[in-house]
Amino acid sequence: MKLDSLRQLVKEELRKTLNEEYQDKYKMVGMLISNIKKRPQKEIFSDIRSIPGITVASAKEPMEYSEQNTEKFQTVLTVKVDGHPWIAKGGFDKSKMGEIRKEILKVEGVLSFNVNPDNITSL
């Protein structure tokens, strides 16, 4: 193997490894079930957006509003997270997304937030 080819291969592998290890932005998609009869959805989303690290929270309803039970309202929630608040405290990786999920579950009106680990990706 020529020296230039070897250098290029090493650079590419190093770049891939660094990108995986030092990833600081993730996206998590899951099914949010909330009680919008108890508390308006707008307020629930506002509280979710106020969780440290969450930069974007967007929602899509899998069914028509009229077909939904307001006490168990289903929404596909997409959350984008910036790891800056954790990087300063010692580190941020994909495992922190579980902590963020737990914070979302603490929001008043949220009944559950189910996330498949495959639906957590780096940005």
Side-chain angles (χ1 to χ4, degrees):
M1 184 179 263
K2 291 186 178 179
L3 189 59
D4 287 339
S5 299
L6 184 59
R7 275 191 191 133
Q8 186 62 31
L9 182 63
V10 169
K11 282 182 184 179
E12 287 174 19
E13 288 300 313
L14 186 59
R15 189 175 301 122
K16 275 194 252 178
T17 301
L18 288 174
N19 283 341
E20 289 173 11
E21 273 187 46
Y22 297 104
Q23 188 54 252
D24 66 343
K25 292 182 179 75
Y26 285 92
K27 179 173 86 169
M28 176 168 49
V29 180
M31 180 63 74
L32 179 77
I33 299 176
S34 56
N35 185 342
I36 62 171
K37 192 172 189 178
K38 177 181 176 183
R39 190 160 183 237
Q41 192 174 34
K42 188 183 276 188
E43 290 179 18
I44 293 170
F45 287 157
S46 179
D47 284 357
I48 290 171
R49 286 185 185 102
S50 71
I51 294 170
I54 293 182
T55 57
V56 176
S58 59
K60 190 168 82 172
E61 295 170 11
M63 295 184 275
E64 292 293 321
Y65 182 85
S66 60
E67 296 173 10
Q68 295 244 31
N69 176 351
T70 56
E71 292 179 7
K72 291 185 178 178
F73 196 81
Q74 297 180 13
T75 308
V76 176
L77 180 68
T78 301
V79 177
K80 293 184 182 175
V81 179
D82 183 353
H84 181 72
W86 292 275
I87 291 170
K89 295 178 186 174
F92 179 75
D93 58 17
K94 194 174 183 176
S95 68
K96 294 286 186 198
M97 299 304 283
E99 292 177 29
I100 292 167
R101 181 186 166 275
K102 288 177 186 171
E103 290 299 314
I104 291 171
L105 290 171
K106 292 178 186 176
V107 171
E108 184 183 349
V110 172
L111 303 175
S112 72
F113 183 50
N114 300 314
V115 179
N116 182 330
D118 294 338
N119 289 336
I120 301 173
T121 56
S122 61
L123 296 175

